[in-house]
Amino acid sequence: MSDSLPARAYFLACEPASRRPNTALLVRAAAVTDLVLRGNLRDQRGHAEPTGAAPTGDLLLDDLLADLRTHSPASWRALLRRGRNDTLQSLETQLSASGLLEEGTSSFLHRKVLVPADSSRVRAARADLNHALTAPLSEVDASTAALAALAAASGAGMSRSEARQHADRLAELEKLAGPVVPALRKAVAGRRAVRIAAFSGGSGG
């Protein structure tokens, strides 16, 4: 399961230079996208529809698919907003059980946090991202294209300046990534608008 798209996205968001507030959204979007790329979900008039494809064999993805079957049809954006923290927690539990995450201490307030047990996973995720952004498009598979497009849309795993620098390439990668990327972009924008409104209200503006 460490090679699944949500796991790769998680390790990408662990990179020290990345911003992590939207990690849960990124992981949820990566899991949903993984199901699309595997043929377990398809777009039906802007809504996610499970197909009759066999289970993936990945516990996280199959649990998510079972949950989606009980809530379909649903818009892609609704799927990202609902259960994103549960998906992140499930992934961290599985990665910890596999020995890929371990307990560490954050530099801020010295809180207990989960960190990669092997930094090579983080480096590999970053290498995948760089490959997606710089290699000939014909050499980039759909999963790696999705990794880059989702990272840019979420802001977790890729900075805004890097996303702007590679905007044209990201537009091409998004075409390979499926219907989740635009929904993720809207979900992130919605969260940003809520935070701005809360700040303005709290400051009396």
Side-chain angles (χ1 to χ4, degrees):
M1 67 89 59
S2 62
D3 293 326
S4 70
L5 184 55
R8 293 164 68 197
Y10 180 87
F11 285 120
L12 181 61
C14 286
E15 188 190 23
S18 72
R19 298 182 302 121
R20 296 188 53 126
N22 290 325
T23 298
L25 264 176
L26 170 62
V27 167
R28 178 77 171 187
V32 174
T33 297
D34 208 338
L35 289 172
V36 173
L37 297 180
R38 292 170 186 255
N40 295 92
L41 282 180
R42 64 187 173 197
D43 183 74
Q44 185 68 21
R45 298 180 181 178
H47 288 69
E49 179 182 82
T51 69
T56 68
D58 181 289
L59 181 60
L60 176 73
L61 296 180
D62 288 338
D63 283 350
L64 175 57
L65 183 59
D67 178 67
L68 298 185
R69 290 186 189 280
T70 67
H71 291 91
S72 64
S75 70
W76 297 103
R77 185 177 176 186
L79 291 184
L80 300 188
R81 289 189 309 225
R82 190 188 69 246
R84 60 183 181 271
N85 291 325
D86 290 339
T87 299
L88 176 61
Q89 184 176 10
S90 294
L91 177 64
E92 289 183 327
T93 297
Q94 291 184 42
L95 292 174
S96 296
S98 300
L100 300 178
L101 292 180
E102 61 186 14
E103 252 196 12
T105 304
S106 69
S107 57
F108 180 67
L109 297 181
H110 301 288
R111 293 176 176 174
K112 294 293 184 181
V113 294
L114 290 172
V115 297
D118 184 353
S119 60
S120 66
R121 299 277 177 178
V122 178
R123 292 195 299 270
R126 182 67 204 189
D128 285 345
L129 176 62
N130 290 337
H131 177 78
L133 295 175
T134 60
L137 194 62
S138 60
E139 297 179 8
V140 181
D141 61 60
S143 180
T144 303
L147 179 68
L150 293 169
S154 67
M158 184 185 297
S159 67
R160 290 183 186 178
S161 61
E162 188 175 19
R164 286 193 296 268
Q165 178 185 351
H166 296 283
D168 291 341
R169 181 55 177 265
L170 287 166
E172 293 297 320
L173 296 174
E174 186 173 329
K175 296 175 184 177
L176 303 175
V180 179
V181 178
L184 175 59
R185 190 178 296 110
K186 290 178 182 178
V188 170
R191 291 192 70 196
R192 187 178 300 121
V194 169
R195 289 197 299 268
I196 292 173
F199 177 79
S200 297
S203 61

